[in-house]
Amino acid sequence: MVVKDAELPYLRRCVELAAEALDAGDEPFGSVLVGSDGRVLAEDHNRVASGDRTRHPEFELARWAAAHLAPEERAAATVYTSGEHCPMCAAAHAWVGLGRIVYVASSEQLTAWLAELDVPAPPVRALPVREVAPGVVVEGPVPGLADEVRALHHRFHRGRG
């Protein structure tokens, strides 16, 4: 994993966005799209509580990038995210031609956390981004921040039922 210290603020912002999603009654995921110059271009958090299960922040950022960035700008951008992209978001990322992905917590970690909490499996299998979009550069997890993301998921799922 080659996450530089200068990238940690983007990853911390992803965790903040995940906490904002949780505070809004949604599943705790947050993502930030950063241009090649280090400027934050767009950010979002999960909005699946609306009833539309496709409202993942990574998917929204892919849509935003397709509408607002030239192909070369998309390829040079990085998506920072609190959790590794699901297969739907990984496919959107690759189809739009976005660059690198840096995630705090892996799909494997999330799957284990949800199993600990007896959360039913989702309708789509969690796959690593590399299996869905093999041409995308992917880095993560980030150990210290992953513990914070785990705590958010525990808070979300313990508060249900």
Side-chain angles (χ1 to χ4, degrees), residues 107-126:
S107 296
E108 183 179 0
Q109 288 173 303
L110 178 61
T111 299
W113 301 336
L114 297 181
E116 288 172 9
L117 295 166
D118 292 322
V119 174
V124 176
R125 184 176 351 156

Side-chain angles (χ1 to χ4, degrees), residues 53-146:
R53 301 292 299 169
T54 67
R55 298 288 310 272
H56 297 187
E58 305 87 352
F59 201 85
E60 297 293 334
L61 294 181
R63 285 181 177 142
W64 185 92
H68 295 94
L69 300 176
E72 56 277 357
E73 291 172 306
R74 294 194 299 261
T78 299
V79 174
Y80 296 90
T81 188
S82 61
E84 185 175 8
H85 290 31
C86 73
M88 173 186 71
C89 294
H93 185 103
W95 280 117
V96 167
L98 283 166
R100 180 170 161 252
I101 296 170
V102 181
Y103 62 81
V104 173
S106 70
S107 296
E108 183 179 0
Q109 288 173 303
L110 178 61
T111 299
W113 301 336
L114 297 181
E116 288 172 9
L117 295 166
D118 292 322
V119 174
V124 176
R125 184 176 351 156
L127 298 171
V129 170
R130 288 180 184 93
E131 287 189 35
V132 179
V136 175
V137 175
V138 183
E139 297 176 29
V142 179
L145 292 174

Side-chain angles (χ1 to χ4, degrees), residues 18-63:
E20 287 177 23
L22 181 60
D23 292 343
D26 220 317
E27 295 177 30
F29 293 93
S31 302
V32 177
L33 177 64
V34 177
S36 62
D37 61 358
R39 188 170 48 97
V40 173
L41 302 173
E43 61 180 34
D44 203 2
H45 61 72
N46 230 30
R47 299 178 190 281
V48 300
S50 69
D52 180 350
R53 301 292 299 169
T54 67
R55 298 288 310 272
H56 297 187
E58 305 87 352
F59 201 85
E60 297 293 334
L61 294 181
R63 285 181 177 142

